[in-house]
Amino acid sequence: MSKPKDWREEIAFVVDFMRELSRQTDPQTAAALYGTRLRQGGFVTSDGFLSVSRRDLQYPAYRITRSSTWKEAINPWLERHRLPVHTTGLLSEIVYSNDSVIIDDLPNRYTPDDPAAKYFQGMNFLQATPNFDDGEALNVSIILTRSPEGMPRDMIPMIIMQSNLWGRSVLNSVLRRELKSAYDALDHELKTVGNIQRSLLPISLPEIPGLEMAADYETSERAGGDYYDFFPLAHGRWGIFIADVSGHGIPAAVRMAITHAIAHTRPDTEVSPGGMLAYLNSILERRYIGQTGAFVTAFYAIYDSNTHRLSYSSAGHPPPRLARGEGVSELNCRGGLPLGIEALATYPECEIKLHSGDRLVFYTDGVSEAFDKNRALFGTDPIDAAALADHDARQILDRILADLKRHVGDAAVADDRTLLVIDVK
């Protein structure tokens, strides 16, 4: 594109230039385009140019990052090791002056052994534009001309302003790319943590005589602190466990993994639900979360498939819903404190006999405390209504999830959510 001929063409040229520049995501490509279009537009007239940087260097060192004499452009962001670094000469004086520099007798200002002599050969005029970062001219753009007159001096203020605005734009582009790279790396790690966490959950639901089950688990972030599990015990008994670690994300996921590890060291025939919770609480409080302010709510039950009796204990966890006949109640045994708060806390136990047609719904507070756009809670009423429906466990679970989705709308998941529906046959 040739130089614009009048102000209309100049406006059109600049608009097209800015539009093209806005599409660039690679700073090296953008820099090449910027220089080319400035020269095409006649905004800068020169016979040569240099770019010099002292970023990450100590006085008097400087790095030459661009030159019109180079046959190959070197990417200063990706190939810094290929850029020449010097410690003497006129360029060192210029780059550490922290100011604009104009020289109209260039041959008299450097010696033959100056590292930049080869860039200055045949040039008589030098104009150096400082590019500031946090108040320091870490980069300098240099225009060279054969004519001692160089360029109109009244153009230089605009060149300095343009160059610094351009420099900020490039810096933002570089930072954005670095931020994306860091985010992608972090996101990959979070996905890995999430995958590890999910591997701690049951791969499939166990087949427990007399029970039909369905479960759903969703985290608010890549990883979360909800946890449910089953423990095969002796004589046809099964441990059923659900827990919710306070907080979200990686810290909650780590504490969830710790809870999982401790829980799997203990279940056996002799441990009652209250004893299991006391065991978990003691270790969590003394060794892991007692001084962090975190805690774990939990509900542990033991189901005897021979007698259909369910003994259970709670550590500050939302009580499961029990649908029986035409009504819904809750397994609300007087519970103890959440795990990890008081090392000597005790956990009372209760017991009920389950009957054919009974339905249990275990859940974490990410379900009951989910908000709609008006900050209204989902609550337990929709859970109870679904639990009374004449469907199987999977259909009941799907109905609760559908009602929950309608309730929250397009809002992001604010808390981890776990649902476990158990039908007694």
Side-chain angles (χ1 to χ4, degrees):
M1 183 176 293
S2 59
K3 179 179 178 179
K5 296 179 180 179
D6 61 23
W7 65 270
R8 296 177 184 83
E9 289 187 3
E10 187 168 333
I11 290 175
F13 180 91
V14 171
V15 169
D16 183 66
F17 176 18
M18 293 299 103
R19 182 184 296 113
E20 185 178 7
L21 197 60
S22 71
R23 297 191 182 105
Q24 308 307 313
T25 58
D26 175 49
Q28 176 74 347
T29 303
L33 173 66
Y34 181 75
T36 299
R37 297 300 291 270
L38 282 182
R39 290 188 290 274
Q40 287 177 341
F43 299 104
V44 174
T45 56
S46 68
D47 298 308
F49 65 85
L50 281 172
S51 292
V52 185
S53 176
R54 61 183 174 97
R55 188 182 296 275
D56 301 325
L57 298 173
Q58 298 296 320
Y59 176 84
Y62 61 93
R63 180 183 290 110
I64 298 177
T65 58
R66 299 183 189 278
S67 170
S68 56
T69 65
W70 291 352
K71 294 181 179 180
E72 176 192 3
I74 300 175
N75 190 322
W77 292 281
L78 302 179
E79 303 175 294
R80 183 178 292 188
H81 62 281
R82 296 182 58 196
L83 299 171
V85 176
H86 304 289
T87 57
T88 60
L90 180 59
L91 289 182
S92 181
E93 297 177 21
I94 291 173
V95 77
Y96 283 97
S97 71
N98 229 32
D99 203 352
S100 174
V101 176
I102 300 174
I103 299 175
D104 55 12
D105 60 342
L106 184 57
N108 299 324
R109 301 293 297 274
Y110 68 93
T111 60
D113 60 348
D114 191 305
K118 61 182 178 180
Y119 303 111
F120 295 153
Q121 287 180 1
M123 303 298 174
N124 289 287
F125 175 86
L126 177 152
Q127 187 270 320
T129 296
N131 292 292
F132 292 97
D133 186 359
D134 197 24
E136 291 293 319
L138 300 183
N139 300 291
V140 173
S141 302
I142 295 175
I143 294 174
L144 301 166
T145 69
R146 295 185 180 89
S147 168
E149 285 76 22
M151 65 180 66
R153 301 303 189 264
D154 58 1
M155 288 181 59
I156 294 178
M158 183 60 69
I159 290 174
I160 294 173
M161 185 168 65
Q162 282 182 336
S163 182
N164 276 271
L165 291 174
W166 159 250
R168 297 304 303 178
S169 174
V170 170
L171 179 60
N172 289 338
S173 176
V174 171
L175 292 175
R176 184 172 59 209
R177 187 173 64 176
E178 291 177 348
L179 181 61
K180 183 180 184 304
S181 177
Y183 173 82
D184 289 344
L186 179 60
D187 190 55
H188 175 74
E189 292 185 4
L190 292 177
K191 286 180 181 178
T192 301
V193 171
N195 290 335
I196 293 173
Q197 181 199 20
R198 284 173 176 80
S199 72
L200 300 178
L201 300 174
I203 298 175
S204 60
L205 297 178
E207 294 184 4
I208 302 177
L211 300 183
E212 178 186 292
M213 300 185 293
D216 184 79
Y217 172 86
E218 181 180 7
T219 61
S220 61
E221 300 179 16
R222 292 294 189 190
D226 277 11
Y227 170 45
Y228 71 96
D229 213 340
F230 302 90
F231 303 99
L233 307 175
H235 310 301
R237 302 166 75 222
W238 281 84
I240 303 171
F241 188 74
I242 188 169
D244 181 3
V245 180
S246 62
H248 311 293
I250 299 300
V254 171
R255 293 175 181 125
M256 174 272 205
I258 292 171
T259 303
H260 171 277
I262 300 170
H264 276 261
T265 66
R266 187 60 178 170
D268 58 52
T269 305
E270 304 302 324
V271 180
S272 66
M276 173 69 155
L277 294 182
Y279 173 75
L280 284 168
N281 176 67
S282 176
I283 298 178
L284 286 171
E285 197 281 333
R286 289 173 177 167
R287 297 191 58 183
Y288 296 105
I289 65 176
Q291 304 302 317
T292 66
F295 58 87
V296 181
T297 68
F299 187 96
Y300 183 58
I302 294 179
Y303 172 70
D304 190 326
S305 61
N306 298 306
T307 65
H308 304 294
R309 301 198 72 82
L310 186 82
S311 56
Y312 57 92
S313 185
S314 177
H317 195 82
R321 316 299 292 175
L322 171 62
R324 173 176 287 175
E326 297 181 355
V328 178
S329 59
E330 57 184 26
L331 301 187
N332 195 14
C333 186
R334 185 176 64 85
L337 291 171
L339 308 178
I341 295 178
E342 170 55 57
L344 299 179
T346 58
Y347 298 91
E349 299 176 9
C350 294
E351 183 176 282
I352 61 169
K353 183 177 177 61
L354 297 178
H355 304 285
S356 178
D358 285 350
R359 173 173 289 142
L360 293 168
V361 181
F362 294 72
Y363 62 97
T364 58
D365 62 11
V367 177
S368 58
E369 296 180 5
F371 289 106
D372 67 6
K373 63 181 180 180
N374 298 317
R375 303 294 291 173
L377 293 174
F378 184 66
T380 58
D381 288 346
I383 299 175
D384 294 346
L388 290 171
D390 185 18
H391 299 296
D392 61 28
R394 180 73 251 178
Q395 292 171 319
I396 298 301
L397 181 76
D398 290 341
R399 172 174 167 173
I400 296 173
L401 293 175
D403 290 344
L404 181 61
K405 184 175 182 179
R406 280 192 293 271
H407 178 78
V408 301
D410 297 329
V413 178
D415 194 4
D416 308 325
R417 300 170 181 170
T418 299
L419 269 171
L420 172 64
V421 178
I422 300 178
D423 284 353
V424 182
K425 297 303 182 181

